[in-house]
C-alpha cells in the first residue's frame, strides 16, 4: 500500500443500548468531518455507530474504509462539507458508494453544512450551477436522501434528483441567548433575504426584529449595506445569519448598530466558516460574542445540532 502522510482512524464502538428507533432501524456512519456531532447523535438516539477509517495520501487523494456491517441496513452518513470542501465531498461520495457496494438498503446523508449551495444559479454568463453538479455526483454515489441545515437558498435543494430537505437551527441559537440571560434581544438580519432567520429568532427572543439592505457586487464580491432606521437604541441586538465567512457582513451591520445606539451587539450564525481575520474584525467592530453551531466544528461551536438532527432522524425512520 502507498505510503500515507496523514492517518485518522476512528475506533469502532458498538452500542449495547436499545435504540429508540427499534432493533434495526438505522445505523449512523461517523463521517470524518463530523465525528463529535455523529457521536452525539448516536448517544442521543441510541443508534449504533459504524466507524470510518480515512486516510489522505501524499498526493492529497482521499481513502475511506467502512469498519462495520451495513448489509440490509438503512445507514445515515453524518458528514459536513466545510473546508476542505472538495475532500469532504469526495469522502461523502466514497462512503455512500461503499455502503451501497456492501448492500446497504438505503443511504441518507446528513450534511450539516452543504458546500457550494451559494452557487445555486447562474449569476454571470459562463458560470456553473455548482450545487447542481454536486447533487448529480451525490446521486451517482448512491445517496438516496439528504438532510442539511439552513441551506443558503432553499431552491438549491430542488436541483437534487432525490428527496433533500433543510431544517433550521435558528431557534437553538436564539435559545443560547435566552440561557445567557440576554433579555428581549432585537433580532437583526443583515440581509433582507435572510429575514426569515430573524423572524424565527424573534419567536424565541420575544424582542423586535429588523433587517438591513445588502448589495453584493457579483464581480468583486464586495458588499454594501444600507442603514434604515432601527429601533435599537439602548437595546441588546443579536445579528443572525446563515453563514459568517470573511465577517464583512457582520462588521458592516455592527457598525450601523453602534451608530444607531445599540447597547450590546452579539452575532450568531449556523455555519461559522470565519475565514482568516474574521474573528478579529468582528470583535474589533464591537461585537461582544460570536456563536455558531457545530455544523462547522470550531471554538465558536457553542450550540450543537445533535438534538435537532436526532429529532429529524426520528421523523425519517
Ligand atoms: C450571504 O448572503 C450569506 O447569507 C452571508 O451573509 C454571507 O455568506 C456572509 O459572508 P461574509 O462573512 O464574507 O460577509
Amino acid at each position: 500500500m502507498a505510503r500515507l502522510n496523514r492517518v485518522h482512524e476512528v475506533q469502532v464502538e458498538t452500542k449495547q443500548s436499545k435504540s429508540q428507533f427499534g432493533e434495526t432501524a438505522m445505523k449512523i456512519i461517523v463521517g470524518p468531518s463530523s465525528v463529535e456531532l455523529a457521536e452525539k447523535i448516536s448517544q442521543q438516539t441510541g443508534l449504533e455507530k459504524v466507524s470510518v477509517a480515512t486516510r489522505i495520501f501524499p498526493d492529497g487523494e482521499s481513502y475511506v474504509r467502512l469498519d462495520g456491517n451495513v448489509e440490509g441496513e438503512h445507514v445515515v452518513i453524518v458528514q459536513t462539507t466545510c473546508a476542505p470542501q472538495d475532500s469532504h465531498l469526495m469522502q461523502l461520495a466514497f462512503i455512500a458508494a461503499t455502503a451501497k457496494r456492501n448492500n446497504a438498503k438505503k443511504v441518507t446523508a446528513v450534511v450539516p453544512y452543504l458546500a457550494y449551495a451559494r452557487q445555486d444559479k447562474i449569476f454571470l454568463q459562463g458560470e456553473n450551477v455548482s450545487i447542481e453538479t454536486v447533487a448529480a455526483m451525490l446521486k451517482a454515489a448512491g445517496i438516496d436522501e439528504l438532510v442539511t441545515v439552513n441551506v443558503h437558498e432553499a431552491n438549491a435543494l430542488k436541483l437534487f434528483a432525490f428527496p433533500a430537505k433543510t431544517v433550521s437551527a435558528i431557534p437553538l441559537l436564539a435559545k443560547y441567548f435566552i440561557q445567557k440571560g440576554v433579555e428581549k434581544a432585537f433580532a437583526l438580519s443583515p440581509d433582507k433575504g435572510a429575514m426569515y432567520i430573524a423572524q424565527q429568532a424573534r419567536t424565541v427572543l420575544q424582542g423586535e426584529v429588523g433587517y438591513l439592505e445588502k448589495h453584493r457586487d457579483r464581480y468583486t464580491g464586495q458588499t454594501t449595506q444600507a442603514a434604515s432606521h432601527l429601533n435599537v437604541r439602548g437595546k441588546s441586538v443579536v445579528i443572525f445569519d446563515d453563514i459568517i465567512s470573511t465577517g464583512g457582513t457582520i462588521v458592516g451591520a455592527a457598525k450601523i448598530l453602534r451608530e444607531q445606539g445599540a447597547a450590546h451587539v452579539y452575532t450568531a450564525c449556523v455555519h461559522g466558516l470565519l475565514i482568516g481575520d474574521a474573528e478579529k474584525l468582528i470583535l474589533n467592530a464591537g461585537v461582544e460574542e460570536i456563536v455558531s453551531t457545530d455544523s462547522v466544528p470550531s471554538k465558536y461551536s457553542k450550540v450543537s445540532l445533535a438534538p435537532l438532527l436526532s429529532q429529524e432522524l426520528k421523523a425519517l425512520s
Side-chain angles (χ1 to χ4, degrees):
M1 183 177 285
R3 196 170 62 81
L4 306 168
N5 67 347
R6 188 142 60 91
V7 176
H8 171 63
E9 293 274 352
V10 183
Q11 296 307 309
V12 183
E13 184 191 312
T14 306
K15 288 196 88 66
Q16 297 304 315
S17 62
K18 215 174 178 183
S19 158
Q20 302 161 32
F21 293 71
E23 295 290 348
T24 57
M26 291 179 196
K27 283 187 177 178
I28 303 281
I29 298 186
V30 181
S33 62
S34 291
V35 172
E36 278 185 36
L37 176 58
E39 288 184 350
K40 280 186 189 159
I41 293 171
S42 168
Q43 278 161 13
Q44 291 181 18
T45 56
L47 290 174
E48 186 180 330
K49 287 185 293 184
V50 174
S51 65
V52 182
T54 64
R55 294 167 182 169
I56 305 290
F57 288 98
D59 61 359
E61 290 185 356
S62 297
Y63 163 96
V64 305
R65 179 174 52 80
L66 286 190
D67 208 351
N69 183 20
V70 296
E71 183 161 3
E73 305 280 359
H74 176 182
V75 295
V76 177
I77 307 166
V78 183
Q79 167 88 345
T80 199
T81 53
C82 60
Q85 293 89 332
D86 298 353
S87 296
H88 287 153
L89 275 169
M90 289 312 291
Q91 288 169 341
L92 174 60
F94 291 168
I95 294 167
T98 310
K100 278 287 170 74
R101 183 181 294 276
N102 286 279
N103 300 319
K105 185 174 68 185
K106 181 175 179 185
V107 175
T108 298
V110 170
V111 185
Y113 173 65
L114 183 60
Y116 294 105
R118 283 176 286 181
Q119 187 71 27
D120 66 314
K121 58 184 170 208
I122 293 172
F123 299 95
L124 296 175
Q125 180 65 29
E127 290 179 346
N128 182 33
V129 181
S130 306
I131 191 63
E132 188 175 43
T133 307
V134 168
M137 183 182 104
L138 297 181
K139 166 87 179 154
I143 290 174
D144 299 302
E145 143 185 80
L146 180 135
V147 177
T148 188
V149 182
N150 290 95
V151 70
H152 180 65
E153 179 54 66
N155 279 335
L157 300 184
K158 294 187 183 148
L159 300 172
F160 285 70
F162 49 78
K165 73 178 285 191
T166 181
V167 294
S168 179
I170 298 301
L172 286 178
L173 285 165
K175 276 182 200 145
Y176 174 90
F177 290 94
I178 297 282
Q179 281 158 8
K180 185 182 163 78
V182 178
E183 290 191 1
K184 294 200 179 301
F186 187 109
L188 182 77
S189 165
D191 177 348
K192 194 174 179 182
M195 188 57 180
Y196 86 96
I197 286 180
Q199 295 281 18
Q200 286 182 0
R202 177 203 210 172
T203 62
V204 176
L205 295 171
Q206 299 289 305
E208 291 175 60
V209 70
Y211 66 88
L212 300 175
E213 295 280 359
K214 184 170 99 172
H215 172 74
R216 183 179 296 276
D217 184 315
R218 287 282 160 205
Y219 289 94
T220 64
Q222 290 291 321
T223 57
T224 49
Q225 285 149 301
S228 49
H229 174 71
L230 300 164
N231 188 24
V232 295
R233 184 159 298 279
K235 295 184 178 157
S236 294
V237 182
V238 185
I239 310 166
F240 286 90
D241 210 345
D242 56 341
I243 300 170
I244 299 178
S245 181
T246 64
T249 301
I250 302 302
V251 168
K255 187 166 170 282
I256 291 169
L257 289 171
R258 288 295 183 197
E259 285 165 2
Q260 298 201 11
H264 300 281
V265 178
Y266 309 95
T267 189
C269 67
V270 180
H271 313 296
L273 308 183
L274 290 133
I275 309 299
D277 284 340
E279 177 191 27
K280 201 167 129 195
L281 295 171
I282 292 170
L283 297 180
N284 285 347
V287 174
E288 293 175 35
E289 187 175 357
I290 303 167
V291 179
S292 77
T293 74
D294 50 3
S295 77
V296 180
S298 77
K299 67 176 180 179
Y300 316 101
S301 304
K302 299 169 189 173
V303 172
S304 179
L305 295 172
L308 176 69
L309 293 172
S310 297
Q311 200 57 41
E312 195 51 38
L313 293 188
K314 280 179 204 162
L316 290 182
S317 64

